[in-house]
Amino acid sequence: MMDRHRLSNVVITVFSLSLVACLSPDLVSAQLKRNYYANTCPNVESIVRNAVTQKFQQTFITVPGTLRLFFHDCFVNGCDASVIIASTPNNQAEKDHPDNLSLAGDGFDTVIKAKADVDAVASCRNKVSCADILAMAARDVIALAGGPSYAVELGRLDGLSSTASSVNGRLPKPSFNLNQLNAIFAANGLSQTDMIALSGAHTVGFSHCNRFANRIYNFSPQNPIDPTLNRAYASQLQSMCPRVVNPTIAINMDPTTPRTFDNVYFQNLVTGKGLFTSDQVLFTDSRSKPTVNAWASNSQAFQNAFVAAMTKLGRVGVKTGRNGNIRRDCGAFN
């Protein structure tokens, strides 16, 4: 028979294991820290920032391209740079799923160039993950476009898997209503406030016409044009996106200040100039409308909420230990 001392040890051990199981999602973020590379690659942030700045000077698409890449990466199996992996004859990777085909090449290029610059420093070579470089680059493009800068938590490893099938149902669609948006963000531990803040990144976004054509041509039998859409803006969109349109044509999501990261996105929603259904619904649904109104009139409040939401997004599904590694080439597994 087990003595009382051994029994209490077993009970404590079992309790400890169950506690770890309960806490494990938070342990991931506890392993991320701001100065993670202080001893291995102390200048990593300035190396990445310089590479991103160079790319930004070549094309503004660096901004929305890199931001969207980070978002699409984190929402599919976590922030692990799995979206950057190229397909092979034996594996169709995330980037080739239909929902990812519109990711701008300039976003991928930004990370690959920054990785090359980091690895060009002998002490940094193969020490910094592609996942962390993407997180830093996302922060840097926001600042370059006039938005807030913030300290990025680091210490993610790169993922060991990337499949197109894993993307199914993980990304929000332009047609989503508030319930659908809240559900898909909640699945990643993000609140309605986080969702509205991250939607604000559309202030520097662009879209192809097919993503919103239903709102300007065939919304419903009664209303060919979505009645929540500003009429003058709808006419403008029709002239830029005729029914038969070149699929490469891209439209700014913020018609007012498309190259500045600001709160004008929310001011546009108030006047019916949200490009997607999933944008405009933030104003038309009474549950999210007060937040839109608040941020339309208070830029600092939006920026604070955006930084908080980006930090939470950066903690989603982080890989540590045996669940990841540091890729030598961001586009291929080691």
Side-chain angles (χ1 to χ4, degrees):
M1 197 169 127
M2 195 180 289
D3 66 52
R4 191 171 295 174
H5 176 69
R6 283 180 60 207
L7 181 64
S8 67
N9 280 352
V10 169
V11 170
I12 288 166
T13 304
V14 169
F15 174 73
S16 301
L17 287 171
S18 62
L19 192 65
V20 167
C22 295
L23 291 176
S24 57
D26 294 323
L27 284 180
V28 164
S29 61
Q31 285 159 343
L32 294 178
K33 55 185 185 182
R34 288 177 174 182
N35 298 313
Y36 184 83
Y37 295 103
N39 299 321
T40 50
C41 184
N43 296 326
V44 64
E45 299 211 33
S46 60
I47 297 168
V48 171
R49 189 177 296 112
N50 289 340
V52 173
T53 303
Q54 264 187 301
K55 180 71 187 170
F56 171 77
Q57 286 164 348
Q58 291 165 8
T59 172
F60 184 82
I61 294 168
T62 303
V63 177
T66 305
L67 262 180
R68 194 157 171 254
L69 192 65
F70 182 61
F71 181 79
H72 280 228
D73 184 40
C74 294
F75 260 47
V76 179
N77 297 331
C79 310
D80 62 356
S82 53
V83 74
I84 303 175
I85 289 288
S87 293
T88 63
N90 303 321
N91 178 55
Q92 192 185 26
E94 283 177 34
K95 69 184 289 190
D96 288 318
H97 185 278
D99 288 354
N100 281 334
L101 292 176
S102 61
L103 288 170
D106 289 302
F108 295 90
D109 195 44
T110 300
V111 177
I112 288 160
K113 285 191 165 141
K115 169 75 166 170
D117 286 1
V118 169
D119 282 352
V121 178
S123 60
C124 299
R125 189 168 301 132
N126 300 328
K127 300 269 169 52
V128 182
S129 68
C130 302
D132 276 347
I133 289 173
L134 177 53
M136 286 183 265
R139 178 265 315 271
D140 294 337
V141 295
I142 292 161
L144 284 165
S149 190
Y150 53 94
V152 173
E153 297 175 339
L154 301 167
R156 302 162 189 79
L157 291 179
D158 296 323
L160 305 176
S161 163
S162 176
T163 61
S165 59
S166 63
V167 180
N168 292 334
R170 297 281 179 89
L171 296 168
K173 297 193 181 302
S175 57
F176 271 12
N177 62 32
L178 193 70
N179 289 344
Q180 292 168 309
L181 288 168
N182 279 337
I184 210 162
F185 278 75
N188 292 289
L190 297 162
S191 67
Q192 176 174 289
T193 303
D194 297 326
M195 179 272 292
I196 301 168
L198 292 170
S199 298
H202 285 173
T203 184
V204 288
F206 65 88
S207 169
H208 299 292
C209 296
N210 64 340
R211 307 288 282 174
F212 57 87
N214 67 306
R215 296 190 72 209
I216 55 175
Y217 290 119
N218 53 354
F219 185 71
S220 72
Q222 295 77 32
N223 296 295
I225 297 173
D226 183 339
T228 65
L229 196 58
N230 178 296
R231 278 310 158 109
Y233 183 47
S235 301
Q236 196 184 339
L237 291 174
Q238 286 175 335
S239 67
M240 292 187 287
C241 289
R243 283 179 188 273
V244 180
V245 66
N246 180 335
T248 62
I249 296 281
I251 304 301
N252 291 322
M253 298 193 72
D254 173 354
T256 315
T257 55
R259 292 189 169 211
T260 308
F261 191 98
D262 55 23
N263 66 330
V264 173
Y265 167 82
F266 298 102
Q267 296 171 12
N268 291 336
L269 297 185
V270 174
T271 57
K273 293 180 185 170
L275 189 62
F276 293 164
T277 297
S278 58
D279 294 313
Q280 197 56 49
V281 75
L282 302 179
F283 183 73
T284 56
D285 193 303
S286 61
R287 294 169 293 172
S288 45
K289 185 176 186 173
T291 307
V292 171
N293 280 327
W295 293 346
S297 60
N298 188 334
S299 175
Q300 193 59 53
F302 160 56
Q303 294 198 1
N304 295 345
F306 185 80
V307 168
M310 283 292 280
T311 303
K312 280 173 73 175
L313 176 63
R315 295 170 181 163
V316 174
V318 164
K319 308 295 184 293
T320 53
R322 272 188 248 170
N323 295 321
N325 60 22
I326 291 173
R327 255 179 246 149
R328 289 186 286 275
D329 169 357
C330 293
F333 296 119
N334 289 352

